[in-house]
Amino acid sequence: MARINDNFLKLKAGYLFPEIGRRVGAYTDANPDGAAKLIKCGIGDVTEALPEAVRDAMNKAVDELGNRDTFRGYGPEQGYDFLRNAVADNYYSDLPVTADDIFISDGSKCDTGNVLDIFAANGSNKIAVTDPVYPVYVDTNVMIGNTGEGDEDGRYEGLVYLSCTAENNFVPAIPEEKVDIIYLCYPNNPTGASATREQLTAWVEYANANDAIILYDAAYEAFIQDPEVPRSIYEIEGAEKCALEFRSFSKNGGFTGVRCGFIAIPETVTGADADGNRVSIKSLWSRRTSTKFNGASYPVQRGAEAIFSDAGKAQVAALVEHYMSNAALLSEACKEIGLSVFGGENAPYVWVACPAGLTSWDMFDKMLTEANVVITPGSGFGAAGEGYFRISAFNSRENVIEVCKRLKTYLK
Ligand code: MLT
């Protein structure tokens, strides 16, 4: 008899986005007219074409693979030097991160889940997550046995939930208790909030004082508009001793389908073995990567490298500008209706309080069936997300203008 990992049975039935897809499918199957008008602002999936510089680089790489003289087989598991160097030079030139600290991957969703491989499981670490939260952090901890059962709000026993509310600008207070691993995501998914230098400094000081590790997800860094907002956790002194940083080319370079991201792990970040000896996290991740991964594909890494060319930078800046202008239009429309609006200024997500009396899923249903617009219910990201909904700014301008019109029609 093959015994399964019982922890999977603790998970709520469906991951949030497939569940939304299921509900949308049921509605559109039964309502062909609604289906024809449907606009999706749910999952944060990019809509605009891959930058030309990226396409050119990928095409060239495919041609190289088509020629025996320039063909390449397995690449380095940790990523090609050309991309690791480009990342280090462009993102970390003045910061304590070297090209050797960069591990290229197939994206941040996988990285934030896979990283748990190198930490003790089954509840040995006290894990803190924000609420609301990107569901991957929670579900992957459930899968490896770091939690007990979930309650009806979807909160799992054993996790420390850090409440993010309008009162704390969606940046959690430092916990009273000692935790070992903290997930932070800024600019934030789902609330669109950003964290100030002072707030991140407090977290880094807490982590260093408590021998904790921060898993810092900066997948939305490219959308920061305010020059005062830190773009990397390593801008904070001491972060090189306690933080791993996750970055992605999905949202800036349009790589949600292409798949490429990376983790930065400075040599100075350590954890403890069972006897309390210090062990380099980077060496464990490198070891794990060599065994379980054969690297992102060569054409994809060449495409990612092209994001850092002059043409690539200009094309990515235009994409960011497009999505952030969408965010501004969506925010404005919600404000005009009188709703309380958050985010959308340094992130491509607009986080909105539901009209009085509506839960997040009520709002989802109303928008789906009346306005034929798919949004994401805030409660899908955690109990503290109840009473909110998220609108993704990843869309064409035409669709966003239409969504603004429908918001005003159906929510007035
Ligand atoms: C989201 O909509 O929250 C994102 O698309 C999730 C992701 O990037 O995996």
Side-chain angles (χ1 to χ4, degrees), residues 17 42-44 109 134 189 220 251 349 390:
F17 293 106
I43 190 162
K109 180 178 184 177
Y134 178 43
N189 180 14
Y220 298 92
K251 313 289 159 103
Y349 295 125
R390 190 192 78 174

Side-chain angles (χ1 to χ4, degrees), residues 12 28 32 36 38 58 76 81 98 103 119 150 164 172 212 272 282 295 316:
K12 286 199 291 170
T28 51
L38 197 74
M58 289 177 76
D81 282 345
T98 67
F103 294 84
F119 294 104
C164 292
K282 175 179 164 179
V316 166

Side-chain angles (χ1 to χ4, degrees), residues 366-381:
K366 184 176 173 64
M367 290 297 288
L368 175 63
T369 59
E370 295 176 20
N372 300 137
V373 172
V374 181
I375 45 107
T376 309
S379 57
F381 297 103

